[in-house]
Amino acid sequence: MIRGIGVDTVDISRFERQLERTPALRARLFAPAEQGLSLASLAARFAAREALIKALGGSGSLGWHDMAVARGDDRAPFFVGGAALTDALAARGADRAHLSMTHDAGTATAFVIVEASA
């Protein structure tokens, strides 16, 4: 059963200006494994975090690193957040977060569905 849906779009050039103005922002927003990715990939991951917050109905006690994004062997993106993310999902009555991301033509977009398996 779907417990929440979230979507977010990021203007990549605006996001780039923010990272240039505040160099420490990259480390604050992104897990070490994400920090070396391309600008477009970082913007998509930021959109993913924002979409997840919307799907959960708020960030609660989640920090930015609790919403890290990785890719599986099949290249499908997923959240890597450990206990904090598991707790946030449970508070929403869910146990899974589905993620889709894209970037093209200067924008990055992410879509999240928060679901209860049973």
Side-chain angles (χ1 to χ4, degrees):
M1 175 180 289
I2 294 175
R3 299 291 186 183
I5 298 172
V7 65
D8 194 70
T9 299
V10 172
D11 180 295
I12 296 172
S13 62
R14 182 173 173 219
F15 184 72
E16 180 179 32
R17 288 191 302 274
Q18 289 291 84
L19 290 177
E20 288 172 352
R21 271 194 293 262
T22 313
L25 196 57
R26 185 180 298 249
R28 192 169 81 216
L29 294 176
F30 301 104
E34 297 173 297
Q35 291 175 23
L37 296 172
S38 71
L39 179 63
S41 290
L42 291 176
R45 280 161 171 73
F46 182 75
R49 287 158 165 80
E50 291 288 317
L52 177 61
I53 289 168
K54 291 172 183 175
L56 291 171
S59 61
S61 62
L62 283 175
W64 293 110
H65 288 215
D66 296 324
M67 299 178 276
V69 175
R71 290 200 177 269
D73 292 337
D74 60 357
R75 307 266 311 134
F78 61 93
F79 289 104
V80 181
L85 181 56
T86 300
D87 292 345
L89 289 167
R92 184 73 173 174
D95 59 359
R96 299 178 64 186
H98 303 276
L99 170 61
S100 180
M101 303 182 304
T102 188
H103 49 80
D104 188 33
T107 61
T109 301
F111 187 81
V112 173
I113 298 174
V114 170
E115 176 189 30
S117 298

